[in-house]
Amino acid sequence: MKIFVDIDDTICYYEENDIKQKDYNKALPYKERINKINMLFNEGNEIVYWTARGTVTQYNWFEITYNQLMNWGCKFHELRM
């Protein structure tokens, strides 16, 4: 099964001031949620992280987002922006 997962407020959260400023660099992971998604990956599901980061600002957040997913231990097949 292919599973699409949003990033912000799904696998990570922000301190109140950080989300108002759209400072994605300061995202903090929900480790329990990431572990559940990793279990789905391990069961053979295709995991695609899909985010709207940069839609309004037109800033390319791909590298930062990819590095966050890797640092948080996320298992996935694809990241879509």
Coordinates of all heavy atoms in Angstrom, one line a residue:
M1 N 0.8 -1.2 0.0 CA 0.0 0.0 0.0 C 0.9 1.2 0.0 O 1.9 1.3 0.7 CB -0.9 0.0 1.3 CG -1.8 1.2 1.4 SD -2.8 1.3 2.9 CE -3.8 -0.1 2.7
K2 N 0.5 2.2 -0.8 CA 1.2 3.5 -0.8 C 0.5 4.5 0.2 O -0.7 4.7 0.2 CB 1.2 4.1 -2.2 CG 2.0 5.4 -2.3 CD 1.9 6.0 -3.7 CE 3.0 5.4 -4.5 NZ 3.2 6.1 -5.8
I3 N 1.4 5.0 1.1 CA 0.8 5.9 2.2 C 1.5 7.2 2.1 O 2.7 7.3 2.1 CB 1.1 5.2 3.6 CG1 0.4 3.9 3.7 CG2 0.6 6.2 4.7 CD1 0.8 3.1 4.9
F4 N 0.7 8.3 2.0 CA 1.2 9.6 1.9 C 1.1 10.2 3.3 O 0.0 10.1 4.0 CB 0.4 10.5 0.9 CG 0.6 10.1 -0.5 CD1 -0.1 9.0 -1.1 CD2 1.6 10.7 -1.2 CE1 0.2 8.7 -2.4 CE2 1.8 10.3 -2.6 CZ 1.1 9.3 -3.1
V5 N 2.1 10.9 3.8 CA 2.2 11.4 5.1 C 2.6 12.9 5.1 O 3.6 13.2 4.5 CB 3.2 10.6 6.0 CG1 3.2 11.2 7.4 CG2 2.9 9.1 6.0
D6 N 1.8 13.7 5.7 CA 2.1 15.1 5.8 C 3.2 15.2 6.9 O 3.4 14.3 7.7 CB 0.9 16.0 6.2 CG 1.2 17.5 6.2 OD1 2.0 17.9 5.4 OD2 0.5 18.2 6.9
I7 N 3.9 16.3 6.9 CA 5.0 16.5 7.8 C 4.7 17.4 9.0 O 4.6 16.9 10.1 CB 6.3 17.0 7.1 CG1 6.8 15.9 6.1 CG2 7.4 17.3 8.1 CD1 7.9 16.3 5.2
D8 N 4.4 18.6 8.7 CA 4.1 19.6 9.8 C 2.8 19.3 10.5 O 1.8 19.1 9.9 CB 4.1 21.0 9.2 CG 5.5 21.4 8.6 OD1 6.5 21.3 9.4 OD2 5.5 21.7 7.4
D9 N 2.9 19.3 11.8 CA 1.8 18.9 12.8 C 1.3 17.5 12.6 O 0.3 17.2 13.1 CB 0.7 19.9 12.6 CG 1.1 21.4 13.0 OD1 1.8 21.5 14.0 OD2 0.7 22.3 12.3
T10 N 2.1 16.7 11.9 CA 1.8 15.3 11.8 C 2.9 14.5 12.4 O 2.7 13.7 13.3 CB 1.6 14.8 10.3 OG1 0.5 15.6 9.8 CG2 1.2 13.4 10.2
I11 N 4.2 14.7 11.9 CA 5.3 14.0 12.6 C 6.2 15.0 13.3 O 7.2 14.6 13.8 CB 6.1 13.2 11.5 CG1 6.8 14.1 10.5 CG2 5.3 12.1 10.9 CD1 7.9 13.5 9.7
C12 N 5.9 16.3 13.3 CA 6.7 17.3 14.0 C 5.8 18.4 14.5 O 4.6 18.6 14.0 CB 7.8 17.8 13.1 SG 7.3 18.8 11.7
Y13 N 6.3 19.2 15.4 CA 5.6 20.3 16.0 C 6.5 21.4 16.2 O 7.7 21.3 16.0 CB 4.9 19.9 17.3 CG 5.8 19.5 18.4 CD1 6.2 20.4 19.4 CD2 6.4 18.3 18.4 CE1 7.1 20.1 20.4 CE2 7.3 17.9 19.5 CZ 7.6 18.8 20.4 OH 8.5 18.5 21.4
Y14 N 6.0 22.6 16.6 CA 6.8 23.8 16.8 C 6.4 24.4 18.1 O 5.3 24.3 18.6 CB 6.5 24.8 15.7 CG 6.8 24.2 14.3 CD1 5.9 23.5 13.6 CD2 8.0 24.5 13.7 CE1 6.2 22.9 12.4 CE2 8.4 24.0 12.5 CZ 7.4 23.2 11.8 OH 7.8 22.7 10.6
E15 N 7.3 25.1 18.6 CA 7.0 26.1 19.7 C 6.1 27.1 19.1 O 6.3 27.4 17.9 CB 8.3 26.7 20.3 CG 9.3 25.7 20.9 CD 8.8 25.0 22.1 OE1 8.1 25.7 22.9 OE2 9.1 23.8 22.4
E16 N 5.3 27.8 19.9 CA 4.3 28.7 19.3 C 4.9 29.8 18.5 O 4.4 30.0 17.4 CB 3.5 29.3 20.5 CG 2.3 30.2 20.0 CD 1.5 30.7 21.1 OE1 1.4 30.0 22.1 OE2 0.8 31.7 20.9
N17 N 6.0 30.4 18.9 CA 6.5 31.5 18.1 C 7.2 31.0 16.8 O 7.2 31.8 15.8 CB 7.6 32.3 18.9 CG 6.9 33.1 20.0 OD1 5.8 33.4 19.9 ND2 7.7 33.3 21.1
D18 N 7.7 29.8 16.8 CA 8.4 29.3 15.6 C 7.4 29.0 14.4 O 7.7 29.3 13.3 CB 9.1 28.0 15.9 CG 10.3 28.3 16.9 OD1 10.8 29.4 16.9 OD2 10.6 27.4 17.7
I19 N 6.2 28.5 14.7 CA 5.3 28.2 13.6 C 4.7 29.5 13.0 O 4.4 29.6 11.9 CB 4.2 27.2 14.0 CG1 3.4 26.7 12.8 CG2 3.2 27.8 15.1 CD1 4.2 26.0 11.8
K20 N 4.5 30.5 13.9 CA 4.0 31.8 13.4 C 5.0 32.4 12.4 O 4.5 33.1 11.4 CB 3.7 32.7 14.5 CG 2.5 32.4 15.4 CD 2.3 33.3 16.5 CE 1.2 32.9 17.4 NZ 1.0 33.8 18.5
Q21 N 6.2 32.2 12.6 CA 7.3 32.7 11.7 C 7.6 31.7 10.6 O 8.5 32.0 9.8 CB 8.5 33.1 12.5 CG 8.3 34.1 13.5 CD 9.5 34.3 14.4 OE1 10.5 33.6 14.3 NE2 9.4 35.2 15.4
K22 N 7.0 30.6 10.5 CA 7.3 29.5 9.5 C 8.7 29.2 9.5 O 9.4 29.0 8.5 CB 6.9 30.0 8.1 CG 5.4 30.2 8.0 CD 4.6 29.0 8.0 CE 3.1 29.3 7.7 NZ 2.3 28.2 7.9
D23 N 9.3 29.0 10.7 CA 10.7 28.6 10.9 C 10.8 27.1 10.9 O 10.9 26.5 12.0 CB 11.3 29.3 12.1 CG 12.8 29.2 12.1 OD1 13.4 28.4 11.2 OD2 13.5 29.8 12.9
Y24 N 10.8 26.5 9.8 CA 10.8 25.0 9.7 C 12.1 24.4 10.3 O 12.1 23.2 10.6 CB 10.6 24.6 8.2 CG 9.2 25.0 7.7 CD1 9.2 25.8 6.6 CD2 8.1 24.5 8.3 CE1 7.9 26.2 6.0 CE2 6.8 24.9 7.7 CZ 6.8 25.7 6.6 OH 5.6 26.1 6.1
N25 N 13.1 25.2 10.3 CA 14.4 24.7 10.9 C 14.2 24.3 12.4 O 15.0 23.5 12.9 CB 15.5 25.8 10.8 CG 15.9 26.0 9.4 OD1 16.4 25.1 8.8 ND2 15.7 27.3 8.9
K26 N 13.2 24.9 13.0 CA 13.0 24.6 14.4 C 12.0 23.5 14.7 O 11.5 23.4 15.9 CB 12.7 25.9 15.1 CG 13.8 26.9 15.1 CD 13.5 28.2 15.9 CE 14.7 29.1 15.8 NZ 14.4 30.3 16.6
A27 N 11.6 22.8 13.7 CA 10.6 21.7 13.9 C 11.2 20.7 14.9 O 12.4 20.3 14.9 CB 10.3 21.0 12.6
L28 N 10.3 20.2 15.8 CA 10.6 19.1 16.7 C 9.9 17.9 16.4 O 8.7 17.9 16.2 CB 10.3 19.6 18.1 CG 11.0 20.9 18.5 CD1 10.4 21.5 19.8 CD2 12.5 20.7 18.7
P29 N 10.5 16.7 16.4 CA 9.8 15.5 16.0 C 8.9 14.9 17.0 O 9.2 15.0 18.2 CB 11.0 14.5 15.7 CG 12.1 15.0 16.7 CD 11.9 16.5 16.7
Y30 N 7.8 14.3 16.6 CA 7.0 13.4 17.4 C 7.5 12.0 17.2 O 7.2 11.3 16.2 CB 5.5 13.4 16.9 CG 4.7 14.6 17.2 CD1 4.1 15.4 16.2 CD2 4.4 15.0 18.6 CE1 3.3 16.5 16.5 CE2 3.6 16.0 18.9 CZ 3.1 16.8 17.9 OH 2.3 17.9 18.2
K31 N 8.4 11.6 18.0 CA 9.1 10.3 17.9 C 8.1 9.1 17.8 O 8.3 8.1 17.1 CB 10.2 10.1 18.9 CG 11.2 11.1 18.8 CD 12.5 10.8 19.6 CE 13.5 12.0 19.4 NZ 14.6 11.6 18.6
E32 N 7.1 9.1 18.6 CA 6.1 8.0 18.7 C 5.4 7.9 17.3 O 5.2 6.7 16.8 CB 5.1 8.2 19.8 CG 5.6 8.4 21.2 CD 6.1 9.8 21.4 OE1 5.5 10.8 20.8 OE2 6.9 10.0 22.3
R33 N 5.1 9.0 16.7 CA 4.4 8.9 15.4 C 5.3 8.5 14.3 O 5.0 7.7 13.5 CB 3.8 10.3 15.1 CG 2.7 10.8 16.0 CD 2.3 12.2 15.7 NE 1.3 12.6 16.7 CZ 0.6 13.7 16.6 NH1 0.8 14.5 15.5 NH2 -0.3 14.1 17.5
I34 N 6.6 8.9 14.4 CA 7.6 8.5 13.4 C 7.8 7.0 13.5 O 7.9 6.3 12.5 CB 8.9 9.3 13.6 CG1 8.7 10.7 13.2 CG2 10.0 8.6 12.8 CD1 9.8 11.7 13.5
N35 N 7.8 6.5 14.8 CA 8.0 5.0 15.0 C 6.9 4.2 14.4 O 7.1 3.2 13.8 CB 8.2 4.7 16.5 CG 9.5 5.2 17.0 OD1 10.4 5.4 16.3 ND2 9.5 5.4 18.3
K36 N 5.6 4.7 14.5 CA 4.5 4.0 13.9 C 4.6 4.0 12.4 O 4.3 3.0 11.7 CB 3.2 4.7 14.3 CG 2.8 4.4 15.8 CD 1.5 5.1 16.2 CE 1.3 4.9 17.6 NZ 0.0 5.5 18.1
I37 N 5.0 5.1 11.8 CA 5.1 5.2 10.3 C 6.3 4.3 9.9 O 6.2 3.6 8.9 CB 5.3 6.6 9.9 CG1 4.1 7.4 10.2 CG2 5.7 6.7 8.4 CD1 4.2 8.9 10.1
N38 N 7.4 4.2 10.7 CA 8.5 3.3 10.3 C 8.0 1.9 10.4 O 8.5 1.0 9.6 CB 9.7 3.6 11.3 CG 10.4 4.8 11.0 OD1 10.2 5.4 9.9 ND2 11.3 5.3 11.9
M39 N 7.1 1.5 11.3 CA 6.6 0.2 11.4 C 5.8 -0.2 10.1 O 6.0 -1.3 9.5 CB 5.7 0.0 12.6 CG 6.5 -0.1 13.9 SD 5.4 -0.2 15.4 CE 4.1 -1.3 14.9
L40 N 5.1 0.8 9.6 CA 4.4 0.6 8.3 C 5.3 0.4 7.2 O 5.1 -0.5 6.3 CB 3.5 1.8 8.0 CG 2.3 2.0 9.0 CD1 1.6 3.4 8.7 CD2 1.3 0.9 8.8
F41 N 6.4 1.1 7.2 CA 7.5 1.0 6.2 C 8.1 -0.5 6.3 O 8.2 -1.2 5.3 CB 8.6 2.0 6.4 CG 9.8 1.9 5.5 CD1 9.9 2.7 4.4 CD2 10.8 1.0 5.8 CE1 11.0 2.6 3.6 CE2 12.0 0.9 5.0 CZ 12.0 1.7 3.9
N42 N 8.4 -0.9 7.5 CA 9.0 -2.2 7.7 C 8.0 -3.3 7.3 O 8.5 -4.4 7.0 CB 9.4 -2.4 9.2 CG 10.5 -1.5 9.6 OD1 11.3 -1.1 8.8 ND2 10.7 -1.2 10.9
E43 N 6.7 -3.1 7.4 CA 5.7 -4.1 6.9 C 5.6 -4.1 5.4 O 4.8 -4.9 4.9 CB 4.4 -3.8 7.6 CG 4.4 -4.0 9.1 CD 3.1 -3.4 9.8 OE1 2.3 -2.8 9.1 OE2 3.0 -3.6 11.0
G44 N 6.3 -3.3 4.7 CA 6.3 -3.4 3.2 C 5.5 -2.3 2.6 O 5.4 -2.3 1.3
N45 N 5.0 -1.4 3.3 CA 4.2 -0.3 2.7 C 5.2 0.8 2.1 O 6.3 0.9 2.6 CB 3.3 0.4 3.8 CG 2.3 -0.5 4.3 OD1 1.3 -0.8 3.6 ND2 2.5 -1.0 5.5
E46 N 4.7 1.5 1.1 CA 5.5 2.5 0.5 C 5.1 3.8 1.2 O 4.0 4.3 1.1 CB 5.2 2.6 -1.0 CG 6.1 3.6 -1.7 CD 5.8 3.6 -3.2 OE1 5.2 2.7 -3.8 OE2 6.3 4.6 -3.9
I47 N 6.1 4.5 1.8 CA 5.9 5.7 2.5 C 6.4 6.9 1.7 O 7.6 7.0 1.3 CB 6.6 5.7 3.9 CG1 6.2 4.5 4.7 CG2 6.4 7.0 4.6 CD1 4.8 4.4 5.1
V48 N 5.5 7.9 1.5 CA 5.8 9.1 0.8 C 5.5 10.3 1.7 O 4.3 10.4 2.1 CB 5.0 9.2 -0.6 CG1 5.3 10.5 -1.3 CG2 5.3 8.0 -1.5
Y49 N 6.5 11.0 2.1 CA 6.3 12.2 2.8 C 6.0 13.3 1.8 O 6.7 13.5 0.8 CB 7.5 12.6 3.7 CG 7.5 11.7 4.9 CD1 8.4 10.7 5.1 CD2 6.7 12.0 6.0 CE1 8.5 9.9 6.2 CE2 6.7 11.2 7.1 CZ 7.6 10.2 7.3 OH 7.6 9.4 8.4
W50 N 4.9 14.1 2.1 CA 4.4 15.1 1.2 C 4.1 16.3 2.0 O 3.4 16.3 2.9 CB 3.2 14.6 0.5 CG 2.8 15.3 -0.8 CD1 3.3 16.5 -1.2 CD2 1.9 14.9 -1.8 NE1 2.7 16.8 -2.4 CE2 1.9 15.8 -2.8 CE3 1.1 13.8 -1.9 CZ2 1.1 15.7 -3.9 CZ3 0.3 13.6 -3.0 CH2 0.3 14.6 -4.0
T51 N 4.7 17.5 1.6 CA 4.6 18.7 2.4 C 4.3 19.9 1.4 O 4.8 19.9 0.3 CB 5.8 18.9 3.3 OG1 5.6 20.1 4.0 CG2 7.1 19.1 2.5
A52 N 3.7 20.9 2.0 CA 3.4 22.1 1.3 C 4.4 23.2 1.6 O 4.3 24.4 1.3 CB 2.0 22.6 1.5
R53 N 5.5 22.8 2.3 CA 6.5 23.8 2.7 C 7.0 24.6 1.5 O 7.4 24.0 0.5 CB 7.7 23.1 3.4 CG 7.4 22.6 4.8 CD 8.7 21.9 5.3 NE 8.5 21.5 6.7 CZ 9.4 21.0 7.5 NH1 10.7 20.9 7.0 NH2 9.2 20.7 8.7
G54 N 7.0 25.9 1.6 CA 7.5 26.7 0.5 C 6.4 27.1 -0.5 O 6.7 27.9 -1.4
T55 N 5.2 26.6 -0.4 CA 4.2 26.9 -1.4 C 3.9 28.4 -1.4 O 3.8 29.0 -2.5 CB 2.9 26.1 -1.0 OG1 3.2 24.7 -1.0 CG2 1.8 26.4 -2.0
V56 N 3.8 29.0 -0.3 CA 3.5 30.5 -0.2 C 4.8 31.3 -0.5 O 4.7 32.2 -1.3 CB 2.9 30.8 1.2 CG1 2.7 32.3 1.3 CG2 1.5 30.1 1.3
T57 N 5.9 31.0 0.2 CA 7.1 31.8 0.1 C 7.9 31.5 -1.2 O 8.8 32.3 -1.5 CB 8.0 31.5 1.3 OG1 8.4 30.1 1.3 CG2 7.2 31.8 2.6
Q58 N 7.7 30.3 -1.8 CA 8.5 29.9 -2.9 C 9.9 29.6 -2.6 O 10.8 29.5 -3.4 CB 8.4 30.9 -4.1 CG 7.0 31.1 -4.6 CD 6.4 29.8 -5.2 OE1 6.9 29.2 -6.0 NE2 5.2 29.5 -4.6
Y59 N 10.2 29.4 -1.3 CA 11.5 29.0 -0.8 C 11.6 27.5 -0.9 O 10.6 26.8 -0.6 CB 11.7 29.5 0.6 CG 13.1 29.1 1.1 CD1 14.2 29.9 0.8 CD2 13.3 28.0 1.9 CE1 15.5 29.6 1.3 CE2 14.6 27.7 2.3 CZ 15.7 28.5 2.0 OH 16.9 28.2 2.5
N60 N 12.7 27.0 -1.4 CA 12.9 25.6 -1.6 C 13.4 25.0 -0.3 O 14.6 25.1 0.1 CB 13.9 25.3 -2.7 CG 14.0 23.8 -3.0 OD1 13.6 22.9 -2.2 ND2 14.6 23.5 -4.1
W61 N 12.5 24.3 0.4 CA 12.9 23.6 1.7 C 13.3 22.2 1.6 O 13.4 21.5 2.6 CB 11.6 23.7 2.7 CG 11.4 25.1 3.2 CD1 10.5 26.0 2.6 CD2 12.0 25.7 4.3 NE1 10.5 27.1 3.3 CE2 11.4 27.0 4.4 CE3 12.9 25.4 5.2 CZ2 11.8 27.9 5.3 CZ3 13.3 26.3 6.2 CH2 12.7 27.5 6.2
F62 N 13.5 21.7 0.4 CA 13.7 20.3 0.2 C 14.9 19.8 1.0 O 14.8 18.8 1.7 CB 13.9 19.9 -1.3 CG 14.1 18.5 -1.5 CD1 12.9 17.7 -1.8 CD2 15.3 17.8 -1.5 CE1 13.0 16.3 -2.0 CE2 15.4 16.5 -1.7 CZ 14.2 15.7 -1.9
E63 N 16.1 20.4 0.8 CA 17.3 19.9 1.5 C 17.1 19.9 3.0 O 17.5 18.9 3.7 CB 18.5 20.7 1.1 CG 19.8 20.1 1.6 CD 21.0 20.8 1.1 OE1 21.0 21.5 0.1 OE2 22.1 20.7 1.8
I64 N 16.6 21.0 3.6 CA 16.4 21.0 5.0 C 15.4 20.0 5.5 O 15.6 19.3 6.5 CB 15.9 22.5 5.4 CG1 17.1 23.5 5.2 CG2 15.4 22.5 6.8 CD1 16.6 24.9 5.2
T65 N 14.3 19.8 4.7 CA 13.3 18.8 5.1 C 13.9 17.4 5.0 O 13.7 16.6 5.9 CB 12.1 19.0 4.2 OG1 11.6 20.3 4.3 CG2 11.0 18.0 4.6
Y66 N 14.6 17.1 3.9 CA 15.2 15.8 3.8 C 16.1 15.5 4.9 O 16.1 14.4 5.5 CB 15.9 15.7 2.4 CG 16.5 14.4 2.2 CD1 15.8 13.4 1.6 CD2 17.9 14.1 2.5 CE1 16.4 12.1 1.4 CE2 18.5 12.9 2.3 CZ 17.7 11.9 1.7 OH 18.3 10.7 1.5
N67 N 17.0 16.5 5.3 CA 17.9 16.3 6.4 C 17.2 16.1 7.7 O 17.6 15.3 8.5 CB 18.9 17.4 6.4 CG 19.9 17.4 5.3 OD1 20.2 16.3 4.7 ND2 20.4 18.6 5.0
Q68 N 16.1 16.8 7.9 CA 15.3 16.6 9.1 C 14.8 15.1 9.2 O 14.9 14.5 10.2 CB 14.1 17.6 9.2 CG 14.5 19.0 9.6 CD 13.3 19.9 9.5 OE1 12.5 19.8 8.6 NE2 13.3 20.9 10.3
L69 N 14.2 14.7 8.1 CA 13.7 13.3 8.1 C 14.8 12.3 8.4 O 14.5 11.3 9.2 CB 13.0 13.0 6.7 CG 11.8 13.8 6.4 CD1 11.3 13.5 5.0 CD2 10.6 13.6 7.4
M70 N 15.9 12.5 7.8 CA 17.0 11.6 8.0 C 17.5 11.6 9.5 O 17.7 10.6 10.1 CB 18.2 11.9 7.1 CG 17.9 11.7 5.6 SD 17.2 10.1 5.2 CE 18.7 9.1 5.4
N71 N 17.6 12.8 10.0 CA 18.0 13.0 11.4 C 17.0 12.5 12.4 O 17.4 12.0 13.5 CB 18.3 14.5 11.7 CG 19.6 15.0 11.0 OD1 20.5 14.2 10.7 ND2 19.6 16.3 10.8
W72 N 15.8 12.5 12.1 CA 14.7 12.0 13.0 C 14.5 10.5 12.8 O 13.7 9.9 13.6 CB 13.4 12.7 12.7 CG 13.4 14.2 12.9 CD1 14.2 14.9 13.7 CD2 12.4 15.1 12.4 NE1 13.9 16.2 13.7 CE2 12.8 16.4 12.9 CE3 11.3 15.0 11.5 CZ2 12.1 17.5 12.6 CZ3 10.6 16.2 11.2 CH2 11.0 17.4 11.7
G73 N 15.3 9.9 11.9 CA 15.2 8.4 11.8 C 14.0 8.0 11.0 O 13.6 6.8 11.1
C74 N 13.4 8.8 10.1 CA 12.3 8.5 9.3 C 12.7 7.5 8.2 O 13.7 7.8 7.5 CB 11.6 9.7 8.7 SG 11.0 10.9 9.9
K75 N 11.9 6.5 8.0 CA 12.1 5.6 6.9 C 11.0 5.9 5.8 O 9.8 6.0 6.1 CB 11.9 4.1 7.3 CG 12.9 3.7 8.4 CD 12.7 2.3 8.8 CE 13.7 1.8 9.8 NZ 13.5 0.4 10.2
F76 N 11.5 6.1 4.6 CA 10.6 6.5 3.5 C 11.2 6.2 2.2 O 12.4 5.9 2.0 CB 10.2 8.0 3.6 CG 11.4 8.9 3.5 CD1 11.7 9.6 2.3 CD2 12.2 9.2 4.6 CE1 12.7 10.4 2.2 CE2 13.3 10.1 4.5 CZ 13.6 10.7 3.3
H77 N 10.3 6.2 1.2 CA 10.7 6.0 -0.2 C 10.9 7.2 -1.0 O 11.7 7.3 -1.9 CB 9.7 5.0 -0.9 CG 9.6 3.7 -0.3 ND1 8.8 3.4 0.7 CD2 10.3 2.6 -0.5 CE1 8.9 2.1 1.1 NE2 9.9 1.6 0.3
E78 N 10.1 8.3 -0.6 CA 10.1 9.5 -1.4 C 9.7 10.7 -0.6 O 8.9 10.5 0.4 CB 9.1 9.3 -2.6 CG 9.1 10.4 -3.6 CD 8.1 10.1 -4.7 OE1 7.6 9.0 -4.8 OE2 7.9 11.0 -5.5
L79 N 10.2 11.8 -0.9 CA 9.8 13.1 -0.3 C 9.3 14.0 -1.4 O 10.1 14.2 -2.4 CB 11.0 13.8 0.4 CG 10.8 15.2 0.8 CD1 9.6 15.4 1.8 CD2 12.1 15.8 1.4
R80 N 8.1 14.4 -1.3 CA 7.5 15.3 -2.3 C 7.2 16.7 -1.7 O 6.7 16.8 -0.6 CB 6.2 14.8 -2.9 CG 6.4 13.5 -3.7 CD 5.1 13.1 -4.3 NE 5.2 11.8 -5.0 CZ 4.2 11.2 -5.6 NH1 3.0 11.8 -5.7 NH2 4.4 10.0 -6.2
M81 N 7.6 17.7 -2.5 CA 7.4 19.1 -2.0 C 6.3 19.7 -2.9 O 6.2 19.5 -4.1 CB 8.6 19.9 -2.1 CG 9.8 19.3 -1.4 SD 9.7 19.3 0.4 CE 10.0 20.9 0.8

